[in-house]
């Protein structure tokens, strides 16, 4: 019987951390050995077994060997960590392009595993790297999380929200998080499972030097200074192209004129990540830009390596835990030919289910049932552990036998026991074995899982006009990847507002939103806010399609593209590019050309799988080839040039020759896809949908904008309510955009705005104007919507009137002439000037009176009486005849081509000479008289 069974299990089951073990009173090895010796001595009873203390010490030394070896190791790490804190700041200036960046460590964040500030101009990035004390469960990915935040205080601002602090991560911050994360992962060593967190803040922003490329470099330096076991130092730069010159880390102003926006990250000798957008740049120019960026990254990495040697902390290489080496051979032995057959299944869902079933079987055998290998390496019998080995001075008495001499016990062969491994290790190894066999099949046989050759593209099908109420729609299918793209057109109110560090409101008139529901891969999962992957893929497709959109002056619509992935088996972002292009054409957007996208893969080390060692480039990769391959290189553009690209790799880096081969192969793939897109059935309509809104753009004088808006926006609201238009958008430069559902409401609002913003000219005649109100001194007449003038009682009639209401009432219509505009902009009108003279025989003595016949004959007053005038007669064909003789009535007769039209026509009479006489301009293609009157298309107008 056991004397103390409760104590017997506790030391072996307890797995202490460094902090807990240092605090426990029974952690001393001497105490454990003493108490355990008493326990074993009492348990032997009357069997009179004599065991030397030395053997007991060996037993407990074996039992606690894990703890004894771990404690000093962890303590040394803690000691190094505390000693590694910089007593004083250390900084270095690194040349980048035509200026320097400053890297400083040891001043801020000294308790972090790695902390650094990087300064470019007055833009400062602060980045830290911290890791958990206890490793997490092993997994097939490195437990790395990246968070990037732009503090509004960096630009002297504060958040506009109620809480006055930064909220959730914005989309452009998520994109920068991805830029930081993607080059870091390939440099992390396998088997390190301590959760690692990278935090990056923009502490200062000068509006001149962008912070994203700087944040990539800061993260690479902080990781190199930390204890995280990374393989190499990384850095990042931006490359711009202005004219024919490549610029390293260009400023914001320089990027406005750049044809290229390339962000590159890499190490001293390889490229890890590129992402960029350009305006139909050819492949050779892109390779030149990558070469310039690689040289700049190489210079930064060399300087950082010197910094790391002086200020860096020792790497935690002893924390790396890899699966047992023999497990790889066992997994291959158990799965055998069955795994090879499963990888040859063409369809994704059956192949995934078969792989999952086979994996469960392998896990069950190796982690639950146990497996006895038939391989010779594992066929030898095991021996008893060295717990029973005796030294020369050891005396052992067994089963009551008394022997005064030494007894030597020979090792006794034991039966072979099944091998058991942890489930996590089996899963990791099974995934690696699957990846290895997949690449081996492609290299050896030249065939992929779906039977294609490395350069072959999957079958493509495209359709447009699926959704009758949408402004534009397209369904693009490539193999088992499918994208449903929908285009919606709208006005500026539909534009997406961007929150920037700079205090300027920015609106995006074109944006693409990508969604990846779990149903597209045949799974049930969570549906919620867009993931970082969805935001990144959407931005890539958006920037790829941006260069083909028309300018806002030619197409004043806000364009939204939604790409919903309905099936996915690799390259769904590039399917969004193809589907989005077709949907834009179906919506009637006048795009410049068609755009296609393709994803390229790679098997880097073909010599390992029976090849000649030359990297093998794969066109239009599947999901399994993305997961098991060494590269994911997405390229979008036309058959002329590239508009967007993004490359992620899972190896230590690639070289320029490999990238060149991938770009040329991608160009051939794009040409094939574009040819298939041209066969779309049904084809895109290429005309504006009847369900799309109508947008009319008009230009008025900037000072007239307030007349349209009105006090507190009352006027513009009343116009919208009266006409039924959807929106009226005004800009400070005088541009007015009217958005309406139908043409009639659009014309109504356009007429009202034209009347509001018209510039009255003295001498203009207005027909059929309504009396709005009557005063004792005259009537107020509305000559245009919202524009009224006073017709004084003396100007209402040729005869004397005592009261205006004696002859007129509100609502009556009459013709008036503008005779004066005072300093306040008030209009003075006259009806009497248009009435026929009641005493024609006295016309010579009253030249101020004018007469108007039923045939639209205007008799203006002549202020310069006594002077001879020439008569000008304008006929319907625009010809003019002049008479040199002086006319007593001094009248000018004009015949109009369309006498039936009312408010839209202006009949202009000659004005009196003087300083206030308006200057008349000639209208192109029309005849004007010396008096300044012009006829345009049969109408008399004043310019």
């Amino acid at each position: 019987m056991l004397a103390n069974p409760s104590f017997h299990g506790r030391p072996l089951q307890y797995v202490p951390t460094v902090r807990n073990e240092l605090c426990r009173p029974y952690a001393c090895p001497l105490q454990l050995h003493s108490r355990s010796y008493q326990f074993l001595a009492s348990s032997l009873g009357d069997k009179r077994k004599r065991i030397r203390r030395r053997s007991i010490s060996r037993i407990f030394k074996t039992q606690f060997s894990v703890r004894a070896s771990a404690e000093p190791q962890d303590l040394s790490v803690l000691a190094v960590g505390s000693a590694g804190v910089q007593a004083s700041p250390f900084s270095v200036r690194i040349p980048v392009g035509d200026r320097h960046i400053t890297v400083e460590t040891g001043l801020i964040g000294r308790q972090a595993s790695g902390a650094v500030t990087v300064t470019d101009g007055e833009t400062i990035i602060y980045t830290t790297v911290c890791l958990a004390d206890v490793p997490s469960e092993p997994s097939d990915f490195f437990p790395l999380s990246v968070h990037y935040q732009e503090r509004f205080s960096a630009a002297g601002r504060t958040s506009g929200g109620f809480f006055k602090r930064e909220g959730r991560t914005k989309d452009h911050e998520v994109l920068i998080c991805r830029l930081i994360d993607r080059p870091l992962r390939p440099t992390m060593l396998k088997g390190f499972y301590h959760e690692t967190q990278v935090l990056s803040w923009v502490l200062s922003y000068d509006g001149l030097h962008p912070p994203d490329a700087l944040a990539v470099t800061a993260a690479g330096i902080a990781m190199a200074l930390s204890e995280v076991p990374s393989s190499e130092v990384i850095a990042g730069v931006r490359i711009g192209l202005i004219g024919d010159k490549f610029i390293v880390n260009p400023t914001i102003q320089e990027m406005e004129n750049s044809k290229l926006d390339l962000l590159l990250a890499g190490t001293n000798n390889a490229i890890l990540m590129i992402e960029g957008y350009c305006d139909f740049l050819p492949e050779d120019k892109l390779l030149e830009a990558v070469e310039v960026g690689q040289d700049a990254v190489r210079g930064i990495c060399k300087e950082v390596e010197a910094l790391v040697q002086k200020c860096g902390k020792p790497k935690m290489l002893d924390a790396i835990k890899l699966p047992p080496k023999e497990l790889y051979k066992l997994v291959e032995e158990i799965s055998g030919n069955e795994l090879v057959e499963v990888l040859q299944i063409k369809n994704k869902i059956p192949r995934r289910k078969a792989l999952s079933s086979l994996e469960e079987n392998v896990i069950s055998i190796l982690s639950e049932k146990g497996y006895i290998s038939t391989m010779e390496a594992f066929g030898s019998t095991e021996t008893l552990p060295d717990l029973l080995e005796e030294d020369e001075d050891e005396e052992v008495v067994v089963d009551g036998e008394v022997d005064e001499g030494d007894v030597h016990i020979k090792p006794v062969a034991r039966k072979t026991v099944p091998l058991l491994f942890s489930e996590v290790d089996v899963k990791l190894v099974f995934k690696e074995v699957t990846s290895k066999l997949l690449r081996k099949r492609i290299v050896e046989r030249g065939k992929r899982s779906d039977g294609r050759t490395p350069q072959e593209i999957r079958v493509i099908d495209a359709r447009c006009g699926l959704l009758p109420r949408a402004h534009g729609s397209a369904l693009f299918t490539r193999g088992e990847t499918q994208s449903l793209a929908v285009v919606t057109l709208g006005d500026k109110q539909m534009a997406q507002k961007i929150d920037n560090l700079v205090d300027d409101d920015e609106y995006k008139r074109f944006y693409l939103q990508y969604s990846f529901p779990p149903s597209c891969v045949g799974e049930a999962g969570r549906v919620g806010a867009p993931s970082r992957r969805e935001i990144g893929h959407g931005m890539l497709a958006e920037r790829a399609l941006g260069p083909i959109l028309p300018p806002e002056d030619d197409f004043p619509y806000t364009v939204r593209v939604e790409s919903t992935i309905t099936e996915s088996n690799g390259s769904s972002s590039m399917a969004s590019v193809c589907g989005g292009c077709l949907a834009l054409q179906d919506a009637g957007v006048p795009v410049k050309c068609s755009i296609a996208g393709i994803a390229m893969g790679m098997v880097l080390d073909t010599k390992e799988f029976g090849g000649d060692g030359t990297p093998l480039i794969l066109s239009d990769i599947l999901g399994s080839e993305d997961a098991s391959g060494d590269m994911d290189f997405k390229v979008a553009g036309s058959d002329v040039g590239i508009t967007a690209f993004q490359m992620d790799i899972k190896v230590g880096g690639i070289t320029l020759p490999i990238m060149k081969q991938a770009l040329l192969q991608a160009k051939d793939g794009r040409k094939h896809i574009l040819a298939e897109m041209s066969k779309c059935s049904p084809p895109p309509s290429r005309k504006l949908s009847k369900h799309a809104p109508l947008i009319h753009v008009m230009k008025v004088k900037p000072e007239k904008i307030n007349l349209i808006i009105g006090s507190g926006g009352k006027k513009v609201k009343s116009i919208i309510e009266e006409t039924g238009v959807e929106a009226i958008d005004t800009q400070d430069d005088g541009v007015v955009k009217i958005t309406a559902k139908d043409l009639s409401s659009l014309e109504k609002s356009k007429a009202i705005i034209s009347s509001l913003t018209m510039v009255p000219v003295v001498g203009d005649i207005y027909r059929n104007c309504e009396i709005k109100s009557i005063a004792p001194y005259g009537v107020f007449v509305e000559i245009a919507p919202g524009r009224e003038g006073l017709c004084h009682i003396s100007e209402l009639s040729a005869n004397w009137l005592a009261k205006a209401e004696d002859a007129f009432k509100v609502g009556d219509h009459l013709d008036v002439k503008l005779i004066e505009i005072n300093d306040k902009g008030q209009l003075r009108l006259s009806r009497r000037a248009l009435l026929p003279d009641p005493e024609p025989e006295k016309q010579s003595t009253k030249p101020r009176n004018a007469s108007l016949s039923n045939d639209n004959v205007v008799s203006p007053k002549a202020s310069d009486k006594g002077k001879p005038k020439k008569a000008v007669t304008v006929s319907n064909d625009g010809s003019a005849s002049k008479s040199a003789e002086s006319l007593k009535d001094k009248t000018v007769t004009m015949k109009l081509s369309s006498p039936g039209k009312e408010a839209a026509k202006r009949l202009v009479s000659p004005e009196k000479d003087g300083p206030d006489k308006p200057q008349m301009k000639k209208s192109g293609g029309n005849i004007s008289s010396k008096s300044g009157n012009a006829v345009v298309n049969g109408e008399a107008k004043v310019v």
Side-chain angles (χ1 to χ4, degrees):
M1 297 293 293
L2 296 177
N4 192 355
S6 61
F7 173 78
H8 178 263
R10 189 173 71 177
L12 296 180
Q13 293 178 355
Y14 175 66
V15 182
T17 62
V18 175
R19 295 175 181 173
N20 292 337
E21 189 66 13
L22 292 176
C23 298
R24 300 186 73 90
Y26 54 82
C28 177
L30 296 179
Q31 286 183 333
L32 288 172
H33 292 171
S34 176
R35 296 181 62 183
S36 301
Y37 173 73
Q38 296 175 2
F39 154 68
L40 287 179
S42 62
S43 64
L44 292 176
D46 296 332
K47 293 186 178 181
R48 299 178 63 188
K49 290 186 178 181
R50 292 180 300 159
I51 304 176
R52 291 180 179 268
R53 178 180 289 272
R54 184 174 180 180
S55 299
I56 298 298
S57 300
R58 181 180 292 110
I59 293 174
F60 284 96
K61 186 183 299 182
T62 304
Q63 291 176 352
F64 298 102
S65 60
V66 177
R67 182 181 304 164
S69 61
E71 287 176 1
Q73 182 180 11
D74 292 340
L75 290 174
S76 65
V77 171
L78 293 176
V80 170
S82 60
V85 176
Q86 296 293 323
S88 60
F90 184 86
S91 62
V92 60
R93 297 185 71 213
I94 302 176
V96 179
D98 57 354
R99 59 182 185 273
H100 290 75
I101 63 173
T102 302
V103 179
E104 186 175 28
T105 184
L107 177 64
I108 307 177
R110 291 175 294 180
Q111 294 188 30
S113 181
V116 66
T117 57
V118 182
T119 304
D120 185 8
E122 293 183 348
T123 299
I124 302 176
I125 303 293
Y126 168 55
T127 302
T128 63
V129 174
C130 292
L131 62 159
D133 294 336
V134 180
S136 56
E137 286 293 327
S139 60
D140 58 348
F141 65 93
F142 179 64
L144 172 67
S145 62
V146 178
H147 298 273
Y148 168 89
Q149 186 181 61
E150 294 178 350
R151 299 284 178 85
F152 284 97
S153 58
R157 295 179 55 200
T158 185
S159 175
F162 175 79
F163 295 101
K164 298 302 177 186
R165 66 181 302 169
E166 289 73 15
R168 70 176 185 88
T169 306
K170 295 179 281 292
D171 284 1
H172 71 277
E173 293 174 328
V174 169
L175 297 174
I176 298 177
C177 288
R178 287 170 54 84
L179 291 176
I180 297 172
D181 181 281
R182 282 157 40 201
L184 289 178
R185 289 188 180 275
T187 63
M188 298 298 113
L189 300 180
K190 291 184 178 180
F192 185 76
Y193 301 116
H194 289 258
E195 183 179 354
T196 306
Q197 186 180 56
V198 178
L199 301 179
S200 186
W201 296 275
V202 180
L203 300 185
S204 177
Y205 179 60
D206 57 7
L208 189 64
H209 304 92
D212 47 2
L214 211 61
V216 176
T217 300
I221 298 174
M223 190 69 74
L225 293 171
S226 71
E227 301 160 287
V228 179
S230 56
S231 58
E232 294 182 85
V233 178
I234 71 165
V237 295
R238 169 177 267 106
I239 304 297
L241 177 59
I242 302 176
D244 293 329
K245 182 180 179 182
F246 293 104
I247 308 296
V248 179
N249 279 1
T251 61
I252 299 293
Q253 287 78 2
E254 290 174 333
M255 284 301 300
E256 293 177 357
N257 301 319
S258 177
K259 301 177 183 178
L260 170 69
D261 183 5
L262 165 65
L263 200 145
L264 180 145
T267 63
N268 192 12
N269 53 12
I271 302 169
L272 293 173
M273 182 271 297
I274 64 171
E275 179 170 330
Y277 316 98
C278 46
D279 191 5
F280 300 102
L281 202 67
E283 283 76 7
D284 56 348
K285 275 290 183 182
L286 178 58
L287 289 172
E288 290 181 25
V290 172
E291 187 174 5
V292 172
Q294 189 179 15
D295 292 338
V297 166
R298 187 180 294 114
I300 298 175
C301 290
K302 288 182 180 179
E303 297 289 340
V304 173
E305 288 174 358
L307 175 66
V308 171
Q309 291 179 0
K310 184 170 185 178
C311 304
K313 297 178 181 179
K315 300 297 182 180
M316 295 176 59
L317 298 175
D318 50 358
I320 296 177
K321 296 180 181 179
L322 296 172
K325 294 182 179 180
E326 61 271 16
L327 184 56
Y328 291 85
K329 296 182 179 179
L330 291 177
V331 171
E332 291 183 8
E333 183 181 345
I334 296 173
S335 58
N337 296 329
E338 186 177 356
L339 181 57
V340 177
E341 295 175 359
V342 168
L343 292 176
Q344 297 178 13
I345 300 176
K346 292 185 177 182
N347 295 329
K348 176 183 177 179
I349 299 300
R351 182 171 63 249
R352 186 188 67 190
K353 291 182 177 180
L355 274 174
S356 179
S357 176
L358 180 59
E359 182 184 20
E360 290 296 328
N361 184 38
V362 174
I363 292 174
S364 176
I365 294 174
L366 290 176
S367 64
E368 297 177 6
K369 299 177 182 178
Y371 180 72
I372 300 176
S373 175
T374 57
M375 300 170 62
E376 183 179 358
F378 304 103
S380 60
T381 59
E382 295 185 358
T383 60
L384 292 175
D386 61 349
L387 297 180
L388 298 179
E389 293 181 358
E390 299 295 330
D391 293 338
E392 295 180 356
D393 58 346
E394 291 181 346
E395 180 179 343
V396 179
V397 178
V398 182
D399 294 335
E401 297 181 0
V402 178
D403 192 347
E404 298 294 332
D406 293 336
V407 177
H408 300 278
I409 300 179
K410 296 181 180 180
V412 179
R414 190 170 61 179
K415 293 182 179 180
T416 305
V417 296
L419 299 175
L420 293 175
F421 300 89
S422 68
E423 181 178 346
V424 175
D425 286 344
V426 177
K427 285 185 176 181
L428 293 175
V429 172
F430 183 83
K431 182 178 180 180
E432 292 190 29
V433 170
T434 302
S435 175
K436 178 181 177 181
L437 292 179
L438 179 66
R439 289 188 280 185
K440 184 177 181 181
R441 169 181 165 80
I442 297 174
V443 173
E444 287 184 348
R445 302 184 183 182
K447 293 290 183 180
R448 295 149 77 174
S449 294
D450 55 359
R452 290 181 294 143
T453 61
Q455 294 81 19
E456 192 174 351
I457 310 297
R458 289 175 286 179
V459 178
I460 295 174
D461 178 68
R463 305 180 184 184
C464 287
L466 272 76
L467 309 178
R469 297 292 298 186
H471 300 161
S473 60
L475 183 68
F476 179 83
T477 307
R478 179 167 54 200
E480 292 182 302
T481 297
Q482 188 178 76
S483 169
L484 176 62
V486 180
V487 170
T488 305
L489 304 178
D491 57 359
K492 186 178 179 181
Q493 293 181 357
M494 202 182 80
Q496 186 180 29
K497 184 178 179 180
I498 305 299
D499 293 330
N500 291 326
L501 284 176
V502 184
D503 192 14
D504 293 328
D505 292 336
E506 180 182 351
Y507 292 89
K508 288 174 62 175
R509 58 178 294 263
F510 169 66
Y511 51 95
L512 189 147
Q513 295 172 336
Y514 167 100
S515 60
F516 191 88
S519 61
C520 68
V521 290
E523 297 177 354
R526 172 184 170 273
V527 178
S531 64
R532 291 188 173 188
R533 178 182 178 276
E534 290 175 309
I535 293 174
H537 281 32
M539 178 56 66
L540 177 63
E542 176 185 313
R543 297 294 294 270
L545 293 173
I548 67 173
L549 291 179
E552 187 176 3
D553 295 339
D554 298 337
F555 194 74
Y557 287 89
T558 295
V559 182
R560 179 196 182 198
V561 181
E562 299 170 86
S563 175
T564 303
I565 305 303
T566 52
E567 291 184 36
S568 178
N569 189 10
S571 188
S572 60
S573 61
M574 296 296 96
S576 300
V577 173
C578 302
C581 179
L582 292 173
L584 288 172
Q585 296 174 354
D586 189 58
V589 180
V591 297
K592 298 177 182 178
C593 61
S594 295
I595 291 292
I598 187 171
M600 313 298 293
M602 179 184 64
V603 179
L604 182 61
D605 189 7
T606 56
K607 193 172 184 180
E608 179 184 356
F609 307 108
D612 57 358
T614 304
L616 179 62
I617 306 298
L618 306 176
S619 297
D620 186 21
I621 58 174
L622 302 174
S624 58
E625 294 168 345
D626 183 7
S628 302
D630 298 326
M631 180 181 72
D632 181 12
F633 192 5
K634 303 179 180 70
V635 186
S638 66
D639 53 357
V640 176
I642 298 171
T643 58
F645 51 89
Q646 183 184 97
M647 184 193 72
D648 297 322
I649 62 172
K650 301 178 180 67
V651 292
I654 64 172
T655 58
L656 281 175
I658 299 175
M659 187 176 296
K660 181 178 181 180
Q661 181 185 352
L663 285 173
L664 295 178
Q665 193 167 320
K667 184 177 182 180
D668 297 335
R670 289 201 315 274
K671 290 181 178 180
H672 172 78
I673 297 171
L674 288 170
E676 295 297 319
M677 289 170 59
S678 63
K679 303 175 185 178
C680 177
S681 179
S685 65
R686 299 183 184 274
K687 63 181 181 179
L688 201 66
S689 170
K690 63 180 180 180
H691 302 295
L694 302 175
I695 296 181
H696 177 75
V697 180
M698 51 192 306
K699 179 78 173 178
V700 301
K701 291 188 175 181
E703 58 268 18
K704 299 292 183 180
I705 290 294
N706 290 333
L707 296 176
I708 303 174
I709 299 174
S711 177
K714 291 182 180 180
K715 188 60 183 178
V716 70
K717 291 178 182 178
S718 65
I719 298 174
I720 294 174
E721 292 177 359
E722 179 182 351
T723 60
V725 297
E726 291 185 344
I728 298 176
D729 177 54
T730 59
Q731 300 178 11
D732 294 337
D733 57 355
V735 175
V736 180
K737 293 182 181 180
I738 308 172
T739 305
K741 291 183 178 180
D742 54 81
L743 187 60
S744 61
S745 61
L746 181 67
E747 292 294 338
K748 289 179 182 177
S749 61
K750 190 169 72 170
I752 294 175
I753 294 176
S754 299
S755 301
L756 285 174
T757 57
M758 62 175 288
V759 180
V761 178
V762 174
D764 286 357
I765 298 174
Y766 303 95
R767 301 291 183 182
N768 198 29
C769 299
E770 182 182 359
I771 297 176
K772 289 296 185 180
S773 61
I774 299 178
Y777 48 85
V779 297
F780 289 92
V781 182
E782 186 180 50
I783 62 173
R787 298 297 302 273
E788 296 182 4
L790 172 65
C791 186
H792 194 265
I793 192 171
S794 62
E795 298 291 340
L796 279 174
S797 175
N799 302 319
W800 182 83
L801 287 177
K803 295 181 180 180
E805 55 263 26
D806 293 342
F808 302 96
K809 63 180 182 296
V810 175
D812 287 349
H813 292 76
L814 65 161
D815 301 337
V816 292
K817 178 182 179 180
L818 179 61
I819 60 176
E820 183 183 354
I821 302 176
N822 63 14
D823 296 338
K824 297 181 180 180
Q826 296 172 337
L827 308 180
R828 185 185 174 199
L829 305 173
S830 174
R831 177 175 176 269
R832 187 179 64 174
L834 301 179
L835 295 176
D837 196 337
E839 299 177 0
E841 67 277 3
K842 299 180 180 180
Q843 222 176 26
S844 59
T845 61
K846 296 181 181 181
R848 64 182 181 86
N849 293 334
S851 62
L852 181 65
S853 67
N854 294 333
D855 294 332
N856 294 326
V857 178
V858 182
S859 298
K861 64 179 182 178
S863 61
D864 48 349
K865 61 181 178 180
K867 294 182 181 180
K869 288 287 184 178
K870 294 182 180 180
V872 180
T873 304
V874 183
S875 61
N876 291 341
D877 59 358
S879 61
S881 62
K882 300 180 181 180
S883 175
E885 65 175 283
S886 176
L887 300 179
K888 291 183 179 181
D889 55 357
K890 302 179 181 63
T891 61
V892 178
T893 303
M894 297 183 181
K895 292 186 179 180
L896 302 180
S897 61
S898 302
K901 294 186 178 180
E902 297 179 351
K905 298 185 168 94
R906 297 179 183 175
L907 301 181
V908 183
S909 303
E911 297 301 321
K912 60 183 179 178
D913 296 331
D916 296 333
K917 181 176 180 180
Q919 298 294 325
M920 304 298 181
K921 298 180 181 179
K922 276 189 177 182
S923 298
N926 299 294
I927 302 174
S928 61
S929 64
K930 289 183 179 181
S931 60
N933 298 324
V935 178
V936 180
N937 295 331
E939 296 183 10
K941 294 189 176 181
V942 177
V943 182

